[in-house]
Amino acid sequence: MYKAIIKQWIPKINKQDLITYLENNHIIASFQEIEILYLYLKTRWEDVYDGKNEIFQELQEKLSPELYRSLYTLYLEMKKKFGI
């Protein structure tokens, strides 16, 4: 159910939406990291949703350790909250 909703929502997200979401969650990212996150959000969101290990390994290599930890913690919280 959630996957179908997200699939419809993803094309409507812009970079400013991502920046605002990060700010609202007190997460700091550089311009380059925002570019990476936006690319992954638009093209690889299903891999993240499905919890594929390789996507997290890729992100861990491309993002600062602090940003990765913050995002991964948020991911786990949302996964638990929505029972995904």
Side-chain angles (χ1 to χ4, degrees):
M1 175 179 132
Y2 292 117
K3 194 170 187 175
I5 294 169
I6 293 170
K7 189 173 188 170
Q8 291 178 347
W9 182 63
I10 289 289
K12 299 174 186 174
I13 297 173
N14 61 42
K15 219 173 279 185
Q16 186 57 49
D17 295 328
L18 173 61
I19 292 167
T20 301
Y21 183 79
L22 293 173
E23 288 173 353
N24 288 342
N25 284 282
H26 311 288
I27 296 173
I28 298 170
S30 70
F31 175 79
Q32 182 181 7
E33 290 171 321
I34 289 169
E35 294 293 319
I36 292 166
L37 291 172
Y38 188 70
L39 175 65
Y40 274 72
L41 175 66
K42 290 296 201 170
T43 62
R44 306 282 305 275
W45 71 269
E46 288 184 270
D47 291 339
V48 173
Y49 183 92
D50 294 336
K52 294 187 177 177
N53 285 333
E54 60 270 7
I55 195 77
F56 293 106
Q57 290 172 345
E58 287 176 29
L59 286 169
Q60 191 170 21
E61 292 171 6
K62 295 180 180 193
L63 303 173
S64 71
E66 182 179 317
L67 176 58
Y68 177 80
R69 276 191 304 274
S70 296
L71 291 173
Y72 192 70
T73 299
L74 184 60
Y75 166 77
L76 292 176
E77 288 172 9
M78 293 298 111
K79 189 174 176 176
K80 183 178 178 181
K81 179 178 179 178
F82 293 105
I84 298 171

